């Protein structure tokens, strides 16, 4: 049966990225530092680059290889190793693998110590070209309380859910930090963390703690940048905060890319 | 050329609803009471019912008829008139037409009176069977400040964006209320409205007003229900509020259906 | 510390539904018939009804109870048992619990028998009032090939991804069917199932099989309705198909509710 | 009243981008070449950069300026002019303005010439730093028919909706192309355009035309790249296609960035 994808063609354009996306597959996610594993659902994107004279890639091989390793634990180092294996199977030097998933931390309420799981989003990305690269993305929500509103008002201050994001790229030989460490550094950049369970004593604590620690969206990303810069092995990072303003229908956001 | 859709079949199942959805088309939206018009983009869903012995409907006619009237102003009364015209064109008694769109109100800041436009979502729905029915849905955001957090905390109180929704069905001959009236009644159910522009004097006002008017999500839907029940011509309604909690990653919500 | 939620009030409105939503929590999903379990991520909604004279519910208890049972396997029968336990904890007769999650089936390619996992969405819903009710929702994609396009064209026929949905309510004492059985009945209603891996021999098979089995969106929901009506224990159902038309920017859909 | 945002601070981090996002506002969109205008709804993002020693920006000014010009027609050149005006009002050299909106083209069916409007998404982006830059993004759907499926099957070929995207950056003094020209070049890269209305004669034409013009996702982006490279004044571009596979639950995609 004819193999059209392998055909050679005459095009002036190499393809930077071709592959599969929006693919859900079970994932045994692993923290590279602590070894903690969680069974979750990954949303995968896997791609190769194609030179100008090769017509197509073999999409089904992405799924075959993913299936073959889907029972093994998968951390960001394994993500890079998987990308490297795909270079051989797909006859290319350039592979990029990305998987996003929901990860849970056990979080205790600040006063009653009631514990439950708090969701966050984690993304592993690895690519082989131009140098082997590992990228960790953490997305977690926190509380932001407005310094201006507090300063000018006789009582109260508007506050809101703030969605925080950090994208970290690591030096090639660097040890990876734990997901939970990055997450806790990130959420500590806002006015207060959020919690899965709060009893009344806890709610009082969080309300007052946030009131005592107001932060503009600009303050949040600066603190987050300072926190990320304390992590060993990080070669570059992006931090971002989006405040779901409780006084507006629109959102306010800020972003720092480091180094520029 | 064969017309397969018109073919008769032997099925035990009549079809309740068949048609087109996720269709965007320009809309000259009109407020049935005030006559105000706004050019916006409608997201349309149009459907018919099919008896058990008719194989299919003619999907292209929905688009032809929509195009034919797309320059005319379109309010909820016209939505019903349009549904009635479609019964003839599609040879059925049962037609349902729904269009959702962004509508803007000019809103002034409470102290400085700085004015700008505030977005909201409006949906018109009309159907011909079992009786001619017109349904107006209003979705608008507001601010909710937690009474418990205020009562137990020495300072501050957590607050958040709250997404409010009201779905109103009208008696057959009832005059329709204006979109803006329903919206203002609805947003007045929370701790404070939100605004497109707030200068510092306004921000102080809104912060203190919300602090002085705390409301649980339960309180909000009860107030909204009371407000909706003051409108003439409403035969039934649903009100709903979803608080995007600033102390949790999850949301809290409440809903009242009236009458039960 | 004051308990404001437990306060009594004078409102004319009982609340139909109040609780938490958009809450992600780990789930050990279980098929009630086969006993198969899968660790996945649940998106939860849990609510109670409130009488007119009770001000609020205790949101944190939903999370405490969810956490307390989150290591146990959870099928649709357990969903109802969990809802019944919540009635005691939240001092109400009316509880509704809903959890949506990604579930995987091992699916083999039709010729080469290459196997991989295929995603689908499953939702369990149980409520205690007015009678104890269990509802199973299955959402899966399939291929739809247009009978009209095939009949009138000299070559080819347009086809597209079709998103299928079945919502099944069960008699109170009925045994539940397996998730995979319902899914396979549902996907067999379209022109062809879809697959996670297809090699060239398989792709030829699927292309020709779909061409030999054209189906309008109306045909798909009628076949799906007939399939669902063969399941024991189903007291009512809704089936729906949405074709992501490959010749239009909009979608076509059909829905059957049975009995009316 | 204190102006906290204007305060100076000591931070090691300048902020790359801070402003408002997810803001909907009426838009009188204009094609810079043809002068055609359409009233639509814009989704806006407006931001500035902040030096390391400035604490915050004044978010409300974005809305005031947007409101002040919202009745004027707005094309991509005006987008850059608006960004330049904001540099003065917000006391910064670096402003970025982005607005995304639904735009409609009148499209005729290929045989019957029945005309209706076809939706697409357009985004204008302009920034002032490091050089004044204008970027036009066009997103439109088309039909992709698989060459492999056609070649190996005795009858039929799988096809699907393909979502196409082109992001074009222009030389500083270049005349801008019309939105419709770019859109038509882009949609001509797939197996066939899609249409708002197709009668039976048209459906036969489109089915056969797509069957006669099969294209892999790789072929589509290469043709799109060739088409974009024919446009005058384009300094760089990205083209992307995502096929909503009718034989899989996942999507296939390809992307070309030019020059690398």
């Amino acid at each position: 049966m004819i193999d059209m994808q392998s055909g050679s063609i005459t095009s002036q354009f190499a393809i930077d990225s071709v592959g599969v996306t929006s693919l859900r597959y079970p994932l045994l996610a692993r923290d590279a530092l602590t070894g903690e594993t969680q069974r979750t659902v990954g949303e995968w994107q896997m791609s190769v680059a194609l030179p100008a004279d090769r017509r197509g890639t073999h999409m089904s091989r992405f799924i075959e290889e993913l299936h073959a390793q889907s029972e093994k634990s998968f951390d960001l180092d394994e993500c890079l190793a998987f990308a490297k294996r795909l270079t051989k199977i797909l006859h290319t030097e350039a592979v990029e693998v990305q998987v996003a998933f929901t990860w849970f931390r056990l979080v205790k309420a600040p006063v009653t110590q009631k514990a439950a799981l708090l969701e966050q989003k984690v993304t592993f990305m690895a690519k082989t070209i131009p140098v082997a690269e590992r990228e960790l993305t953490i997305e977690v929500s926190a509380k932001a309380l407005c310094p201006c509103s507090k300063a000018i008002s006789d009582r109260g201050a508007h506050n809101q859910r703030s969605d925080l994001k950090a994208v970290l790229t690591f030096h090639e030989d660097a040890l990876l930090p734990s997901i939970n460490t990055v997450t806790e550094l990130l959420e500590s950049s806002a006015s207060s963390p959020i919690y899965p369970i709060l009893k009344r004593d806890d709610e009082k604590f969080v309300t007052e703690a946030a009131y005592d620690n107001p932060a503009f969206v600009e303050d949040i990303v600066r603190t987050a940048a300072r926190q990320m810069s304390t992590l060993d092995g990080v070669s570059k990072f992006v931090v971002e905060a989006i405040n779901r303003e409780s006084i507006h229908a629109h959102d306010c956001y800020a972003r720092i890319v480091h180094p520029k």
Side-chain angles (χ1 to χ4, degrees), chain A:
Chain A
M1 207 171 261
I2 186 172
D3 177 359
M4 302 188 73
Q5 283 89 344
S6 297
S8 69
I9 55 164
T10 308
S11 168
Q12 67 187 108
F13 292 104
I15 293 179
D16 296 81
S17 188
V18 52
V20 296
T21 190
S22 299
L23 169 69
R24 271 155 290 273
Y25 225 82
L27 175 69
L28 180 54
R30 183 180 185 275
D31 185 305
L33 187 73
T34 66
E36 179 186 353
T37 57
Q38 294 185 17
R39 288 202 179 270
T40 181
V41 176
E43 180 163 336
W44 295 80
Q45 181 169 297
M46 298 179 281
S47 66
V48 297
L50 276 188
D53 63 354
R54 224 172 102 200
R55 183 167 184 195
T57 192
H58 290 87
M59 302 280 189
S60 60
R61 294 185 193 170
F62 290 112
I63 319 291
E64 288 177 85
E65 294 307 311
L66 180 61
H67 183 66
Q69 66 85 57
S70 67
E71 283 302 305
K72 291 172 43 181
S73 68
F74 197 88
D75 60 25
L76 181 49
D77 285 324
E78 177 56 30
C79 189
L80 179 57
F82 182 51
K84 286 178 177 173
R85 287 201 304 277
L86 285 176
T87 60
K88 295 193 177 64
I89 287 147
L90 287 152
H91 308 295
T92 175
E93 289 180 359
V95 171
E96 185 175 318
V97 170
Q98 181 179 305
V99 57
F101 54 93
T102 303
W103 174 265
F104 293 95
R105 269 179 310 146
L106 190 74
V107 170
K108 290 182 181 168
V111 177
T112 63
Q113 302 290 308
K114 288 256 179 193
L117 297 167
L118 184 59
E119 63 165 289
Q120 62 182 99
K121 192 173 166 194
V122 176
T123 306
F124 296 155
M125 193 280 282
K127 58 182 180 184
T128 59
I129 286 288
V131 292
E133 191 173 298
R134 298 164 300 164
E135 186 187 277
L136 176 67
T137 300
I138 302 288
E139 292 171 80
V140 69
S141 296
K143 175 190 255 311
L145 186 136
C146 178
C148 173
S149 171
K150 174 182 171 178
I152 63 182
S153 302
D154 291 336
R155 50 201 180 278
H158 77 81
N159 50 83
Q160 47 265 321
R161 203 187 285 165
S162 180
D163 294 325
L164 310 179
K165 183 176 184 173
V167 184
L168 308 175
T169 308
F170 297 94
H171 290 295
E172 221 172 323
D173 302 320
L175 275 184
L176 295 164
S178 84
I179 291 169
N180 293 358
T181 299
V182 178
T183 305
E184 284 155 20
L185 282 175
L186 185 61
E187 70 180 5
S188 73
S189 309
S191 297
S192 167
I194 58 172
Y195 298 87
I197 297 180
L198 292 172
K199 306 305 285 185
R200 273 190 296 274
D201 289 318
D202 305 306
E203 189 172 349
K204 172 179 164 64
F205 181 94
V206 172
T207 300
E208 295 172 358
Y211 190 81
D212 294 342
N213 187 29
F216 286 125
V217 72
E218 294 95 332
D219 299 329
I220 294 173
V221 289
R222 278 176 166 135
T223 304
R226 200 165 56 239
Q227 300 280 37
M228 295 304 115
S229 67
T230 65
L231 289 166
D232 285 335
V234 172
S235 61
K236 55 183 177 179
F237 64 78
V238 179
V239 289
E240 193 177 86
I242 305 179
N243 284 6
R244 310 301 179 182
E245 296 290 300
S246 62
I247 56 170
H248 296 304
H250 58 264
D251 301 326
C252 293
Y253 84 104
R255 182 169 54 234
I256 291 173
V257 180
H258 182 82
K260 306 301 171 199

